[in-house]
Amino acid sequence: TLRQSTSVQKVDPVHWSDIGGLESVKKTLEESVIWLYRHVEAYARMGISPSKGVLLYGPPGTGKTLLAKAVATESEANFMAVSIPDLIKGEVGESEKAIAKVFKMATRCSPCIVFLDELEAIFGARESSGGLGKQLISQLLLEMDNCGEGVVILAATNHPEAIDASILRPGRLDRLVYVPPPTFDERVAILQILKQTTRISENIDLRTVGNLTSNFTGADLRALVRKAGLFGLKANRQTSIEVQDFFAAASEVQPSVSQFQLLRY
Ligand code: ATP
């Protein structure tokens, strides 16, 4: 609810190395956000208004939230996660107040990364409730234009087609970054990371699992490892998940995004 959706989170630090693959995305974010923080004064000297942030888009479960957290960790900024659907579900007037509160708090906690998840929801609201939704969008744009310079916004959406161009203008979220599902090599890299916190047997060549999982996202891989762990338990294994468990799990866990749905991006 309101309190939860607007709190500054003490999150476990996420480092770039906790995110498998996505090398070019990491580089782009490092350049645009971290560079932005390091050069606030230089922008001012040049009289250029810096970008307010970046819009991450792509299928669900590909690591957008992780990326936002890593940006906060790596730039030593605070992190505030805001779910747009939660933020705007209140009564008329309440949602506007909630939006204002988020940016006020972020400015107070700056340097602060504000992660706006499911950004498209605010544009959906316009369609369903006429003038009300429009007011919400103007409020968001206003806050975005006026918040402190230590506030950087990372927004995420699975529905880029629903995002209004007004939010993508220069000085707002003027960089669009696609966060794709992992390639084979990236899946192996993600499995390697998941292996650090789960008991995956040393005997398994992770490329075998990589081959079983075309079209899987990072979130799907996490679900697969969990499922394999359950099969391991059922098979009464004492300490580690074996390759048979992965075969069994792979016959039950499906990729959450189909090849066809990916065409959207
Ligand atoms: P959504 O669009 O549904 O909000 P998302 O893109 O924000 O999803 P995350 O919440 O960041 O995805 O990812 C979900 C989980 O999947 C992560 O907590 C992590 O365990 C795993 N994961 C996803 N992508 C990666 C990745 N590239 N490297 C390591 N783990 C990943």
Side-chain angles (χ1 to χ4, degrees), residues 18-22 26 58-69 115 117-118 156-158 179-180 182 186 189-191 193-194 217-223:
D18 298 323
I19 304 176
L22 299 173
K26 292 179 196 170
T62 49
K64 294 181 282 303
T65 309
L66 278 185
L67 286 162
K69 287 180 177 169
F115 179 61
D117 202 9
E118 297 182 64
T157 186
N158 306 323
V179 185
E186 291 179 315
I190 293 170
L191 288 163
I193 289 166
L194 291 169
T217 62
D220 294 337
L221 289 172
R222 191 172 72 167

Side-chain angles (χ1 to χ4, degrees), residues 166-197:
S166 58
I167 209 160
L168 308 174
R169 299 220 179 100
R172 291 179 183 159
L173 305 181
D174 50 16
R175 200 145 192 185
L176 287 177
V177 177
Y178 178 47
V179 185
T183 61
F184 170 79
D185 286 336
E186 291 179 315
R187 292 198 298 277
V188 175
I190 293 170
L191 288 163
Q192 192 66 50
I193 289 166
L194 291 169
K195 189 178 168 180
Q196 291 165 8
T197 52

Side-chain angles (χ1 to χ4, degrees), residues 55-58 64 117-120 155-160 163 265:
L55 176 62
L56 303 169
Y57 71 96
K64 294 181 282 303
D117 202 9
E118 297 182 64
L119 182 67
E120 74 282 352
T157 186
N158 306 323
H159 298 280
I163 303 292
Y265 306 99

Side-chain angles (χ1 to χ4, degrees), residues 77-257:
N78 286 309
F79 181 75
M80 216 170 136
V82 179
S83 149
I84 294 291
D86 284 353
L87 192 71
I88 64 175
K89 72 182 171 208
E91 301 281 308
V92 183
E94 218 176 85
S95 303
E96 278 85 349
K97 271 189 212 149
I99 293 175
K101 192 174 157 195
V102 164
F103 285 89
K104 200 168 170 188
M105 202 183 267
T107 302
R108 207 188 309 140
C109 301
S110 77
C112 187
I113 301 290
V114 179
F115 179 61
L116 302 179
D117 202 9
E118 297 182 64
L119 182 67
E120 74 282 352
I122 201 164
F123 301 105
R126 175 165 59 182
E127 248 101 85
S128 58
S129 51
L132 174 64
K134 234 185 190 121
Q135 212 171 306
L136 279 179
I137 297 166
S138 343
Q139 173 86 28
L140 179 65
L141 295 177
L142 184 83
E143 298 293 344
M144 211 181 253
D145 292 342
N146 294 324
C147 64
E149 58 190 12
V151 179
V152 169
I153 299 159
L154 292 188
T157 186
N158 306 323
H159 298 280
E161 74 286 352
I163 303 292
D164 195 290
S166 58
I167 209 160
L168 308 174
R169 299 220 179 100
R172 291 179 183 159
L173 305 181
D174 50 16
R175 200 145 192 185
L176 287 177
V177 177
Y178 178 47
V179 185
T183 61
F184 170 79
D185 286 336
E186 291 179 315
R187 292 198 298 277
V188 175
I190 293 170
L191 288 163
Q192 192 66 50
I193 289 166
L194 291 169
K195 189 178 168 180
Q196 291 165 8
T197 52
T198 39
R199 290 283 176 85
I200 297 177
S201 167
E202 286 304 325
N203 301 327
I204 298 181
D205 181 348
L206 292 178
R207 286 173 301 182
T208 308
V209 183
N211 271 321
L212 289 174
T213 49
S214 31
N215 295 324
F216 275 50
T217 62
D220 294 337
L221 289 172
R222 191 172 72 167
L224 179 83
V225 171
R226 194 185 133 70
K227 193 79 181 181
L230 292 176
F231 275 109
L233 282 179
K234 262 193 220 152
N236 247 331
R237 290 189 218 300
Q238 295 308 310
T239 49
S240 60
I241 309 172
E242 300 296 338
V243 78
Q244 305 90 291
D245 305 325
F246 275 103
F247 283 120
S251 66
E252 293 198 3
V253 180
Q254 301 297 318
S256 55
V257 187

